[in-house]
């Protein structure tokens, strides 16, 4: 990078711009929501160069955006948001990520944290026993090809039909638990093969099931509307579409590479491979992606079912009596066709969010009726040692970031560096001394997920709030963590 | 991961071992079960990605981890090989980080210093 290239320019306290002059191929500027420290981190791993790269995409509207938890990714940065026009724009699998519909959901309970803390070891042990996780974690029930087709087409709705969870759950999941226009027939045999044995499996890496305490409430009206109260026990689930999503991404990148070569797109990074939304390749990717996203929704629905069952077993009453309501479920790796305002007109755009969460404001028709007055809930998973958050989307977010906000903390250290710093077992003991019980399928690599490996989630959330993208509702502290 | 080889075949074999080494201790994997692999691709880079993804796919769907990679025949766009390993065992194989996918990011297969070098970035 030559020293003559302009560096990001600060626009206000929480917004930076990468001018188009940074790189001659940029069609629009880059906009990064960050404070000084987070911007310095983004400069260190050259993530902001990736923001500039995304600005090369044909048909990109207004700007290439990035959230405060921005860090280096494959092509698109993690925390990247980009909207492309349907007529002349492209869709890029790198703007969705390998783990299609990786996402988060939060289950309430009517239990107090004290009741849960008293049984936390048994709870974590039971969760560990009943939820398959980690490398090679095989599903409790192997799907038939017919079942898999149902899952890919209907998502969480298939699960409810087959006894996993309640029909009310669907009201508080994005798109009512089913991403429409999914086409399972477009998935390769390999993608399907990987899905047969993975429904209701946690995966590994930064996926988790976490038993939490609502430690703080910032907006009591919003909290009441969501059914949250201070001192309450809740359960957060963070997982995605497992091998299905990974395979769909891998398969689609192959196709897209051919399109890029044929159309002679001048892309600064091969991983930005894309195809026009209006083309067969573009349409097919979106349909396959939706099928994979449905698998992600179904996956979290199945895991939630076993979480409820585990609590039923240990507390001896039904999960209904325990008040284990689903509060909301969001994806943070997805591309969706949405209506937004551009220059005073309502336009349909393909909004890519990779490591960023949809955050629609009050009044938006896609927000469930029960929450429409306050806005769409957003769950932000933190790291094992600190905190997670519940936020709400805002009207300002619709204007500033296509209705998007951050998704988590963002990595600070590579997995290798994190493991070097502390052994998994030592970390587990340290967390236990702080009151967090960890059940890990794989203690050796637990340090990859250590708090010190991640940026400060509270800082990331504060920037989103200051920038107007979200409102803080509550903060949760971990009591027990299940990892793959 | 950076892998090297005197010729393309050795490069690909070493790339396979290098990927396994991220996940486990290659030396502790006994070659008791083998699979045949046949791949066709547009160019060397894509061939390498497909080759490594094939091993990952078998790891995920059959629970095998591979320590031995033997290329029988290959060109710039095709390869046929035999890979051998055994069902993975966390303790025996010293399981480390799971490799989830092979990416095209900064992917390079090039002739260098009288041999071949490959740069591959994995999604871990």
């Amino acid at each position: 990078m030559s020293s003559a290239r302009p560096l990001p320019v600060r626009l206000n306290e929480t917004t930076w711009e990468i001018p188009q002059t940074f790189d001659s191929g940029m069609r629009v500027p880059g906009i990064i929501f960050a404070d000084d420290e987070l911007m310095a981190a983004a400069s260190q791993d050259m993530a902001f160069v990736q923001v500039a790269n995304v600005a090369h995409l044909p048909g990109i509207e207004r700007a290439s955006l990035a959230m405060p938890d921005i860090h280096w990714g494959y092509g698109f940065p993690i925390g990247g948001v980009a909207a492309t026009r349907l007529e002349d724009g492209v869709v890029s699998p790198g703007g969705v990520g390998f783990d299609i519909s990786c996402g988060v959901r939060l289950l309430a309970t009517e239990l107090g944290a004290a009741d849960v803390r008293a049984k936390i070891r048994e709870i974590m042990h039971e969760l560990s026993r009943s939820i398959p996780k980690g490398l090679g974690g095989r599903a409790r029930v192997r799907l038939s090809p017919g079942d898999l087709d149902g899952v890919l087409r209907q998502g969480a709705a298939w699960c409810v039909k087959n006894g996993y969870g309640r029909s009310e759950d669907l009201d508080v999941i994005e798109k009512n638990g089913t991403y429409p226009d999914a086409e399972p027939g477009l998935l390769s045999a390999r993608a399907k093969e990987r899905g047969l044995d993975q429904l209701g499996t946690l995966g590994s890496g930064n996926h988790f099931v976490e038993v939490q305490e609502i430690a703080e409430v910032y907006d009591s009206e919003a909290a009441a509307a969501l059914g949250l109260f201070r001192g309450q026990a809740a359960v957060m689930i963070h997982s995605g579409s497992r091998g299905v999503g990974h395979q769909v991404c891998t398969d689609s990148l192959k196709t897209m590479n051919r399109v890029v070569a044929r159309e002679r797109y001048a892309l600064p990074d091969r991983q930005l491979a894309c195809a026009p939304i209006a083309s067969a390749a573009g349409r097919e990717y979106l349909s396959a992606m939706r099928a994979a996203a449905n698998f992600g929704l179904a996956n979290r629905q199945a895991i939630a079912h076993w979480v409820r069952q585990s609590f039923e077993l240990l507390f001896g009453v039904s999960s209904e009596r325990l008040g284990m309501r689903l509060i909301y479920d969001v994806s943070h790796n997805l591309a969706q066709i949405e209506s937004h305002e551009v220059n005073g007109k309502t336009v349909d755009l393909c909004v890519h969010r990779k490591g960023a969460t949809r955050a629609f404001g009050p009044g938006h028709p896609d927000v469930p009726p029960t929450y429409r007055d306050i806005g769409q809930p957003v769950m932000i998973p933190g790291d094992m040692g600190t905190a997670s958050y519940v936020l709400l989307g805002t009207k300002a977010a619709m204007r500033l970031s296509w209705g998007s906000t951050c998704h988590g903390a963002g990595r600070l250290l590579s997995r290798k560096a994190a493991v070097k710093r502390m052994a998994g077992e030592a970390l587990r003991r340290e967390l236990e001394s702080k009151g967090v019980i960890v059940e890990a399928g794989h203690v050796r690599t637990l340090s990859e997920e250590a708090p010190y490996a991640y940026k400060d989630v509270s800082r990331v959330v504060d920037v989103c709030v200051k920038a107007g993208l979200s409102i803080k509702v509550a903060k949760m502290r971990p009591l027990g963590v299940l990892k793959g | 991961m950076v892998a090297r080889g005197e010729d393309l075949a050795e490069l690909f074999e070493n790339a396979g071992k290098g990927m396994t080494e991220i996940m486990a201790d290659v030396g502790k994997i006994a070659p008791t079960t083998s699979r045949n692999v046949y791949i066709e691709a547009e160019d060397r880079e894509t061939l390498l990605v497909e080759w490594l993804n094939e091993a990952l796919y078998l790891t995920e769907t059959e629970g095998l981890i591979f320590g031995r990679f033997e290329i029988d025949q290959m060109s710039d766009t095709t390869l046929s090989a035999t890979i051998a390993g055994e069902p993975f065992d966390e303790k025996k194989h010293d399981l480390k980080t799971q490799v989830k996918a092979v990416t095209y990011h900064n992917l390079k297969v090039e002739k260098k210093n009288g041999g071949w070098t490959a740069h591959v970035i994995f999604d871990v």
Side-chain angles (χ1 to χ4, degrees), chain A residues 357-439:
Chain A
T357 315
R358 195 188 76 172
F360 284 167
H364 195 288
D366 267 10
V367 177
T370 35
Y371 301 147
R372 205 163 288 157
D373 282 343
I374 55 170
Q376 181 216 306
V378 176
M379 278 73 61
I380 305 294
D383 61 68
M384 293 189 279
T386 52
S388 300
Y389 288 85
V390 175
L391 311 176
L392 290 174
T394 59
K395 284 208 164 112
M398 303 304 294
R399 244 190 327 107
L400 294 166
S401 61
W402 309 123
S404 315
T405 192
C406 60
H407 84 304
R411 286 202 77 91
L412 195 58
L413 293 181
S414 73
R415 292 184 178 277
K416 217 169 156 186
V419 168
K420 261 204 186 126
R421 189 158 141 177
M422 193 182 220
E425 181 52 39
L427 176 65
R428 197 190 60 76
R429 281 198 303 268
E430 184 178 293
L431 288 167
E432 190 159 320
S433 72
K434 291 198 175 123
V436 181
I437 306 300
V438 178
E439 278 270 354

Side-chain angles (χ1 to χ4, degrees), chain A residues 293-407:
Chain A
N294 280 333
F295 193 94
L297 294 182
N299 198 36
R300 290 194 286 284
Q301 184 70 15
I303 293 173
H305 176 67
W306 291 317
V307 169
R308 281 171 171 149
Q309 276 195 339
S310 300
F311 273 69
E312 285 180 341
L313 187 68
L314 290 168
F315 287 92
V317 291
S318 72
S319 62
E320 281 82 2
R321 284 273 304 276
L322 290 171
M324 295 187 77
R325 231 187 85 237
L326 176 61
I327 294 180
Y328 203 61
D329 180 304
V330 282
S331 298
H332 48 235
N333 274 1
L334 204 58
Q336 299 202 64
I337 312 286
E338 297 168 0
S339 295
H340 289 278
E341 239 187 74
V342 179
N343 299 328
K345 285 202 291 223
T346 304
V347 173
D348 279 344
L349 296 170
C350 178
V351 183
H352 300 71
R353 297 185 183 91
K354 176 166 120 172
T357 315
R358 195 188 76 172
F360 284 167
H364 195 288
D366 267 10
V367 177
T370 35
Y371 301 147
R372 205 163 288 157
D373 282 343
I374 55 170
Q376 181 216 306
V378 176
M379 278 73 61
I380 305 294
D383 61 68
M384 293 189 279
T386 52
S388 300
Y389 288 85
V390 175
L391 311 176
L392 290 174
T394 59
K395 284 208 164 112
M398 303 304 294
R399 244 190 327 107
L400 294 166
S401 61
W402 309 123
S404 315
T405 192
C406 60
H407 84 304

Side-chain angles (χ1 to χ4, degrees), chain B residues 44-110:
Chain B
R44 278 185 222 119
E45 281 83 6
T46 313
L47 190 65
L48 179 62
V49 170
E50 304 265 301
W51 162 238
L52 296 173
N53 268 332
E54 184 70 27
L56 283 182
Y57 172 72
L58 290 167
T59 295
E60 188 178 286
T61 54
E62 298 194 42
L64 299 169
I65 190 153
F66 300 97
R68 185 179 288 179
F69 298 79
E70 270 159 20
I71 306 275
D72 304 319
Q73 252 192 66
M74 77 176 288
S75 67
D76 281 351
T77 56
T78 63
L79 74 80
S80 91
T82 312
I83 59 179
E86 58 179 339
F88 63 71
D89 178 327
E90 182 182 333
K91 289 206 172 68
K92 173 176 182 195
H93 299 129
D94 228 3
L95 234 40
K96 297 177 247 184
T97 302
Q98 182 189 0
V99 173
K100 295 198 278 229
V102 186
T103 77
Y104 287 94
H105 199 92
N106 289 343
L107 177 67
K108 264 196 281 268
V109 175
E110 55 189 1

